[in-house]
Amino acid sequence: MSNVTIFFGNQTVVLQFEGFKDEVNVDELTSIDYSNLYGEIVTVSALLNKIGLLRAEAESAVSLKQLECDVYSADLGKRYRREANVNGGKFTIPDGEHLVSIKLTEDSINQAIILDPIYQAKKNSLIESKKNFGFIDSLYWAIQSKDKKLSLITRPVTPEEFVNEIIEGEINGMFIKKLKDNWTQNS
């Protein structure tokens, strides 16, 4: 069970949810099992919620990586400007085993930042986070599409029909178990 704590002004809300297994078959999650439409219907909202939570985490990771790149870039640019301020308008950067003195311009600062190995590593990490977000975002929209299609292809049913038609088993990463038939006993 995972927890996410959210703060709304003075209100604190803790969301609890079960995560996915280590491996998730995306094709299985995004396709509709027509042999168990009722199972699909009762689990797709929970599935969409899980993917939505993953999407929020992935989006947050991208934002944090972007902030990390921006802060590092700004800090490095500030250090170059300070150095140039005390060194007659020039700052130094490593070039192999030597230091190279460069005239301070916005272009030279931008190029020096881009060539910085730590900045490149941070930027690569940001690119990887954006790719991961893209995967989760695509999955989110596919599950949302699945939810809409299920709404269109199913008709209203009675509780008795629902209980009789639902099939036990795993669907959308959740296990469905039929309990004692209370509908026919109360009629």
Side-chain angles (χ1 to χ4, degrees), residues 35-157:
S35 68
N36 195 3
L37 283 177
Y38 296 112
E40 289 281 6
I41 292 167
V42 297
T43 60
V44 75
S45 293
L47 174 62
L48 185 58
N49 183 58
K50 282 184 180 186
I51 298 300
L53 292 170
L54 275 178
R55 184 180 182 278
E57 284 293 326
E59 190 171 23
S60 174
V62 168
S63 295
L64 289 171
K65 296 285 183 185
Q66 182 65 59
L67 177 62
E68 195 176 305
C69 280
D70 292 347
V71 167
Y72 184 80
S73 173
D75 185 53
L76 195 55
K78 184 168 82 174
R79 282 189 278 162
Y80 291 150
R81 284 182 186 86
R82 283 184 178 163
E83 182 182 341
N85 207 18
V86 295
N87 289 331
K90 292 189 176 190
F91 64 97
T92 57
I93 61 168
D95 186 18
E97 294 181 18
H98 303 90
L99 289 177
V100 177
S101 185
I102 299 175
K103 182 180 177 187
L104 177 71
T105 65
E106 281 305 310
D107 270 351
S108 66
I109 287 178
N110 290 337
Q111 289 175 5
I113 291 170
I114 290 170
L115 292 173
D116 182 77
I118 296 172
Y119 177 78
Q120 289 175 5
K122 290 180 182 301
K123 199 69 167 177
N124 283 332
S125 181
L126 172 62
I127 291 166
E128 186 69 23
S129 288
K130 284 182 179 182
K131 180 181 81 173
N132 292 340
F133 172 73
F135 290 152
I136 298 296
D137 191 48
S138 176
L139 182 57
Y140 173 81
W141 290 107
I143 300 297
Q144 195 170 69
S145 174
K146 177 180 180 175
D147 183 48
K148 288 178 184 174
K149 287 175 182 142
L150 284 168
S151 295
L152 292 174
I153 63 173
T154 55
R155 59 179 172 67
V157 294

Side-chain angles (χ1 to χ4, degrees), residues 3-15 53:
N3 291 334
V4 174
T5 304
I6 301 173
F7 302 98
F8 297 103
N10 295 334
Q11 176 87 28
T12 302
V13 177
V14 177
L15 303 176
L53 292 170

